[in-house]
Amino acid sequence: MKITKQKRNNIIFLIVIALFFIPQARQPIQVFLQKGFALISPSIETDKNQKKLVDYNWKLKDESGTVFNFEAHKGKVVLINFWATWCPPCIAEMPSMQKLYNDYKDKVDFVFITTDYYSEINPFLKKNNYTFKVVRPQEAYPEFFNIISIPRTFLIDKEGNIIIDKNGAANWNSDLVRDTIDHLLN
């Protein structure tokens, strides 16, 4: 019996749909699909749309239990990423975040924030060879950030202006992001 192209396409479609109902297959498929979105660079906020972060008073906690105030980042170029280990778009954009971090970690303050527990964070970081430091909020997110979904990433200049405000996966290792950071550092 010969299978027509239409039947073959229908079979493939049904297999893909069925995989969404198998819990172990769902996340890898979603991550794969999100990697397509993560190829796009985030856009730069226009001057008239830029918001300014005025309140840096926010407590965060690292793995060792040290609490520090976000105020320590005031006057610096900061990239803040709100993410989670279970989030397919977050997982999709992390390789580009790591590449950017590798090149700018001594020039830009990277703040990776999650509400996940370190028992989930550490295996995730190790499995993927991510070397950036992750912190957890010690108190509720400041209303200013308005985190409705993740990933949510902000690039903030030395004066507190939000240059990039991106909801969803993006390519953070793009020429646009690198050129923007280089400009902010000069």
Side-chain angles (χ1 to χ4, degrees), residues 122-134:
N122 290 336
F124 176 83
L125 295 175
K126 185 175 182 174
K127 173 184 169 194
N128 294 291
N129 296 315
Y130 296 142
T131 58
F132 46 79
K133 183 178 175 182
V134 177

Side-chain angles (χ1 to χ4, degrees), residues 9-28:
N9 290 344
N10 287 342
I11 291 169
I12 291 170
F13 177 75
L14 289 173
I15 290 170
V16 169
I17 294 299
L19 287 173
F20 275 105
F21 292 102
I22 300 170
Q24 296 84 354
R26 188 176 306 130
Q27 188 182 47

Side-chain angles (χ1 to χ4, degrees), residues 41-87:
S41 293
S43 57
I44 308 299
E45 297 290 326
T46 61
D47 287 343
K48 72 175 190 168
N49 288 338
Q50 280 182 10
K51 295 177 184 167
K52 187 169 184 140
L53 180 61
V54 292
D55 184 10
Y56 284 78
N57 187 24
W58 181 32
K59 302 220 178 357
L60 300 164
K61 189 180 201 179
D62 67 14
E63 182 181 12
S64 66
T66 303
V67 176
F68 67 95
N69 197 319
F70 186 71
E71 183 92 21
H73 300 289
K74 192 172 189 176
K76 300 176 183 178
V77 176
V78 184
L79 188 135
I80 306 170
N81 178 256
F82 294 89
W83 69 286
T85 59
W86 49 263
C87 164

Side-chain angles (χ1 to χ4, degrees), residues 154-171:
F154 300 90
L155 178 63
I156 303 170
D157 71 10
K158 294 175 183 177
E159 288 77 41
N161 298 307
I162 295 181
I163 307 302
I164 297 176
D165 177 353
K166 174 67 176 148
N167 242 338
N171 178 9

